[in-house]
Amino acid sequence: MTRAILIPVALLLSLGARNTMAAERAIWAWEQDSYAMVQERAAGDAAIAFLKSKGIRILYLYADAFQGRTLLAARPNLYRAFIRRLHANGLRAYALLGSAYLHSEEYILPEHRAAALAMFRRVLDYNAAAKPGERFDGINLDIEPHVLDQWAQQKVQLLGQFLDLGQAFMELKRASGQSLPVGPAIPFWLDGIVLDWHGTTKPVSEQVIDIYDYVALMDYRDHAEGPDGIVSLGADEMDYANRGHKKVVIGVDLGVARISGLWWIRASSFRRLPALAGTQPAHRQRRGGCCGALGTIAAALF
């Protein structure tokens, strides 16, 4: 599964905003670290202090099974307490679903559909039972079919199953009556694959954007400008999403370092973010004002 730093980009034109806003950072926390945060007061306090010190406002908090336990179902009080603390500190929490540990790339396969839907439903059930200040603010999915061994031979079929699963997730969300935003991580090259899905033929990236509230585009480049840069590779997805009043999250690999058993972002990585964010106005001008400003910068903690 993906282990890289992300930069979420909010398409502000859907909200009627055209000016560049101050970048808002977010961060992913994977299995081991998320479980430590919700179970250990000291780990949770250290994480909150770290997020605030780096100006990070959104935590993608892993919320599925790990090492034979599913804390969200077995001990939801742990998540409630930690999310309350996040909210009290001006931070937001998205439930992060999917992991290498669970081989959740297999969740698109029919024989694993029930496990995938149960994973998603647990978050909806948790939110329904929690008080407002204890609820997840959104869901982020990391289910990547291109990791499967059969990808090269069955790409078209697997992508269709990926879209079918996304549709099923969103049907569950609608049936729950909840409004939290839901979106998956997808590679930037999906816009180069055209797929006929249920009678609609268009790039897979556009099919995914149509289904979900937002997408996280894995746009792993270390430079913003140029034909192979972050802005260029994400431009079509941002343009399409904006037309549908959706959001795109663009992923950038900035590098990490392990300190005291946790993966922290290098200080040098954070110093690079303003330079990347500063390219957005130029992109907006080139595209005739089509795309919104950089909205959220996310990193990864795993």
Side-chain angles (χ1 to χ4, degrees), residues 283-295:
H283 168 61
R284 189 173 65 253
Q285 291 164 9
R286 283 202 309 275
R287 308 293 283 190
C290 66
C291 297
L294 281 175

Side-chain angles (χ1 to χ4, degrees), residues 30 35 44-45 57 69-70 125 137 203-204 223 227 237 242 271 278-279 281 283 300:
W30 291 94
Y35 267 39
D45 287 345
R57 290 292 175 263
R69 299 178 298 162
T70 307
D125 291 345
D137 301 290
V204 177
H223 56 284
E237 288 84 355
N242 184 64
R271 287 196 294 270
T279 66
H283 168 61

Side-chain angles (χ1 to χ4, degrees), residues 212-228:
Y212 287 98
D213 299 310
Y214 74 95
V215 300
L217 189 69
M218 295 181 284
D219 194 359
Y220 299 154
R221 293 295 184 268
D222 62 0
H223 56 284
E225 296 294 345
D228 192 44

